[in-house]
Amino acid sequence: MLTQADITLIIAALQFWAEEMDPEDEQCLRIYAEAPEAEQTRTPAEIQQLRSRLKTAHLKYVVSNESRTALQDRGLHSTFQGAFEACNDPTDLVGTLLLPETSSED
């Protein structure tokens, strides 16, 4: 489950990555991600776009069943505590949902 503090840390890490890492160095992401199949395909500009999307995203919480295949209620909760209180079964799980900012044209 992600919190707003987690999102803030990710935004800061992305800024560091855009400024300090070489986007041409394919080994770099593999090392830091601890994933041999990872490929660095993001330019600093693309990373800045991702940072912007994360900064404006709305963090919500949902309740799912244990197998993570269905939502247990249709509500989007503003807090983890609110989602936790909506759990009807001890096996229910609380998940994080990042919703994009809606444009004024919608």
Side-chain angles (χ1 to χ4, degrees):
M1 185 233 7
L2 292 173
T3 65
Q4 190 59 53
D6 297 331
I7 299 299
T8 301
L9 177 61
I10 293 167
I11 291 168
L14 286 169
Q15 181 68 35
F16 177 82
W17 189 269
E19 292 175 356
E20 303 297 330
M21 300 303 185
D22 179 4
E24 304 291 323
D25 183 359
E26 293 182 14
Q27 288 295 328
C28 196
L29 183 60
R30 290 182 182 127
I31 293 167
Y32 284 97
E34 298 178 0
E37 71 283 355
E39 292 185 24
Q40 171 63 354
T41 58
R42 301 281 179 137
T43 66
E46 290 171 323
I47 293 170
Q48 292 302 344
Q49 289 174 350
L50 176 57
R51 287 183 72 243
S52 294
R53 288 194 309 268
L54 286 171
K55 282 182 180 179
T56 59
H58 296 275
L59 189 65
K60 300 291 182 180
Y61 300 92
V62 295
V63 179
S64 77
N65 62 359
E66 182 179 21
S67 63
R68 299 170 188 91
T69 57
L71 296 179
Q72 296 298 78
D73 67 10
R74 297 179 69 156
L76 298 179
H77 304 276
S78 297
T79 65
F80 170 79
Q81 186 62 33
F84 181 76
E85 290 171 3
C87 292
N88 293 320
D89 188 286
T91 62
D92 287 348
L93 300 169
V94 174
T96 306
L97 184 63
L98 285 173
L99 297 171
E101 181 178 55
T102 59
S103 69
S104 58
E105 297 173 2
D106 291 342

